[in-house]
Amino acid sequence: MAAEGDMSARGRRIGDDSALDCSSSIYEADPYDECTNPQGILNLGTSENKLCFDLIEDWFNRRNGGKSIAPDLLQYSCVQGIESFREEIAKFLTDYTRAPKTLHSEEIIIMNGCCSIFAALSMVLFDPGDGYLIPTPYYGGVNPYMDLYGEVQAVHVHLDSKISEGESLPFRLTVDKLESGMQHAKEKVCFATF
């Protein structure tokens, strides 16, 4: 069950610095470059093939009307997402959501699709056996990822297409509906409390 800063015990373990993280940080602080930093560190811990960039660049330029491609676009990028993209997302979210404080790129992580996001969140927010409230209808493709990676179960909060008494719109999510879902989850003994 999640505690200590809203992170699960598993999430805290995952967040601990691994040897790979430490070695990556050391490399990033002093990377080897033949011309500008010949005494820098060679990265032998990442599976990237930079030896044939000249061949790839030539092939790409011939097929792309002579437009050049930056070498870093053909390698692994930052695992949080490309910095310039995260900067633009931070600006957009700061303005669009009228954030009370400015968002910064280091607070943003870019992932591919909602399923990978839900899988990652299930690993760090929940411990195995926990549950989470989710309004229905919803995209059911997240269920296998939440269950497989996070070992957590969905507890449905049913919303209706018919306008209920005291409501003005269909599919209205209310505190009462969430509380009812939480009560149902507690009866099933599978709810994470934060």
Side-chain angles (χ1 to χ4, degrees), residues 30 34 62 75-76 88 100 116 150 154:
D30 187 26
E34 185 177 4
R62 283 196 317 265
Q75 305 300 322
Y76 290 122
E88 291 303 315
S116 60

Side-chain angles (χ1 to χ4, degrees), residues 64 81 96 131 179 193:
N64 196 34
Y96 183 75
E179 287 175 347
T193 54

Side-chain angles (χ1 to χ4, degrees), residues 117-176:
I117 292 168
F118 276 101
L121 289 174
S122 72
M123 292 288 289
V124 298
L125 295 180
F126 302 99
D127 285 321
D130 285 347
Y132 61 97
L133 296 174
I134 189 162
T136 63
Y138 69 102
Y139 173 57
V142 301
N143 287 354
Y145 293 92
M146 295 289 282
D147 183 38
L148 177 66
Y149 297 109
E151 300 176 49
V152 295
Q153 299 298 313
V155 176
H156 301 140
V157 176
H158 295 284
L159 305 182
D160 203 317
S161 62
K162 296 181 181 98
I163 298 175
S164 302
E165 188 177 322
E167 296 178 358
S168 57
L169 296 170
F171 301 110
R172 185 84 174 198
L173 182 61
T174 65
V175 171
D176 287 342

